[in-house]
Amino acid sequence: MRVVQVPYAKGPFEIVERDIPEPGAGQIRIKVQACGVCHSDSLTKEGSIPGIAYPRVPGHEVVGVVDAVGAEVPGWKSGERAGIGWNGGYCGFCDNCRRGDFFACQTGTYITGITSDGGYAEYLVARAEAVARVPEGLSAVEAAPLMCAGVTTYNCLRNTGARSGDIVAVLGLGGLGHLGVQYAAKMGFKTVAIARGQDKGALASTLGAWKYIDSRTQDPAAELQKLGGAKVILATVTAGDAMAAVLGGLGVNGTLMVVGAAPSMQFVPFQLIGGKTSIKGWYSGMAIDSQDTLSFSVQTGVRSMNEVYPLERVNEGYERMMSGEARFRVVLSLG
Ligand SMILES: [Zn+2]
Ligand SMILES: [Zn+2]
């Protein structure tokens, strides 16, 4: 099989031939049809997480077809559509797992494309508990970005406590944000998109936004307060100053939900006190959350807008993603 591997931290992508791996007990082999290129793939490319064993195949927005099933995997058979995201599995026996916090498994941290080879490849082997079912109604290229960007925004939004009719703002209109706006609108929130530049207003409205705030020319916090204050602001950007600039737009008991990994953020703690507001992080989700994301996307018509590259053009696709210019997700197609 052909795979794209990173030979060492900060090394170039190499397209190499490898033997097709056999699934062990508890594992499933997926014949990959599409794999999204996510900014977190740079962790593998650059070696920003200590302990990555190289060579390593990146990619955690994987969709394909089950091709072989290892021992002790009930419920899966060859030919079924399957996908895997960032979470690569969990032990099921540690205290966090026994409390249902599988994402925080204390024993092994399994991360697709980081602790095991990911989806920039014709085949990958996955732990069965990390595999999501992929419904008909989404092509592999459509489904792939939903395995990380999609589940991150969808699963965060549905766990905020916001109710239909509440004001929910989405900060950023990039790969995550363009999905976040669609999901928020389809969930019945009064959805406010916040981005830089008046030209994004039309896009926001196409995606289902109720209002658009141009943070270049308007004060987003003041504008949100004019609307009554946001119950939730979903922060998809990676700039701490942009997050700080919207914090004052939260309504009473509102929450800034952070999914963008900004390196730092400064805020005045007093801002949280008066309105009992919070800042909270959110982990993307588990396989069943991805499955729900895909199902909701089929039901409501939410789609990622993608730029598609064949596996051989991985360098181009990756550079495009890293440039921040992609509209909006980059996907490698192996079809
Ligand atoms: Zn990702
Ligand atoms: Zn565990």
Side-chain angles (χ1 to χ4, degrees):
M1 67 168 181
R2 283 181 313 155
V3 307
V4 175
Q5 67 179 23
V6 179
Y8 46 88
K10 301 188 195 303
F13 287 124
E14 296 174 343
I15 301 183
V16 298
E17 292 276 337
R18 284 194 195 173
D19 290 339
I20 297 174
E22 289 303 320
Q27 294 181 328
I28 289 174
R29 186 169 71 208
I30 298 174
K31 186 177 195 308
V32 180
Q33 295 173 321
C35 182
V37 177
C38 179
H39 192 270
S40 302
D41 297 344
S42 65
L43 300 173
T44 304
K45 183 82 163 56
E46 301 302 320
S48 332
I49 290 183
I52 297 180
Y54 291 93
R56 181 57 82 216
V57 178
H60 59 266
E61 292 188 339
V62 189
V63 170
V65 172
V66 176
D67 168 75
V69 179
E72 295 158 43
V73 181
W76 284 97
K77 55 181 190 300
S78 289
E80 290 181 299
R81 302 186 78 201
I84 185 165
W86 174 262
N87 185 275
Y90 50 90
C91 78
F93 300 102
C94 72
D95 282 358
N96 284 351
C97 281
R98 288 160 63 214
R99 290 183 206 284
D101 292 322
F102 302 110
F103 74 94
C105 178
Q106 293 156 281
T107 57
T109 316
Y110 303 103
I111 307 174
T112 313
I114 290 188
T115 64
S116 64
D117 286 331
Y120 290 19
E122 289 178 319
Y123 295 86
L124 99 167
V125 161
R127 290 172 62 93
E129 74 273 14
V131 179
R133 294 182 192 282
V134 176
E136 298 303 322
L138 287 173
S139 71
V141 165
E142 285 174 328
L146 304 182
M147 298 303 298
C148 178
V151 65
T152 297
T153 48
Y154 170 80
N155 195 38
C156 177
L157 284 166
R158 70 173 178 166
N159 282 291
T160 59
R163 299 189 305 169
S164 165
D166 284 344
I167 293 179
V168 170
V170 177
L171 173 62
L173 265 182
L176 266 65
H178 93 291
L179 287 164
V181 168
Q182 294 179 67
Y183 285 127
K186 293 294 185 187
M187 287 176 187
F189 303 133
K190 286 180 175 163
T191 304
V192 181
I194 306 169
R196 284 180 299 177
Q198 202 49 52
D199 54 315
K200 305 258 175 65
L203 168 70
S205 149
T206 305
L207 297 171
W210 168 60
K211 304 274 183 195
Y212 175 71
I213 297 172
D214 170 13
S215 61
R216 274 209 182 117
T217 58
Q218 295 172 290
D219 173 355
E223 293 302 316
L224 285 173
Q225 287 301 345
K226 278 187 209 165
L227 299 171
K231 177 74 180 173
V232 167
I233 302 173
L234 175 65
T236 69
V237 296
T238 52
D241 55 346
M243 292 190 198
V246 299
L247 192 59
L250 289 172
V252 169
N253 295 313
T255 307
L256 180 73
M257 297 294 290
V258 177
V259 296
S264 72
M265 173 186 174
Q266 279 199 328
F267 67 95
V268 180
F270 180 74
Q271 271 186 295
L272 305 184
I273 296 169
K276 276 172 59 197
T277 56
S278 334
I279 302 174
K280 184 176 177 174
W282 190 262
Y283 179 97
S284 56
M286 309 306 291
I288 193 65
D289 301 309
S290 299
Q291 216 170 287
D292 291 347
T293 303
L294 299 176
S295 169
F296 186 82
S297 304
V298 170
Q299 177 202 332
T300 60
V302 172
R303 293 292 184 276
S304 173
M305 297 178 186
N306 301 325
E307 295 182 4
V308 183
Y309 293 81
L311 193 68
E312 307 80 67
R313 286 168 60 197
V314 59
N315 279 305
E316 220 177 311
Y318 181 81
E319 290 309 320
R320 183 79 180 144
M321 178 279 296
M322 289 301 282
S323 75
E325 298 295 313
R327 292 290 173 268
F328 287 89
R329 296 296 283 187
V330 170
V331 181
L332 300 175
S333 172
L334 292 92

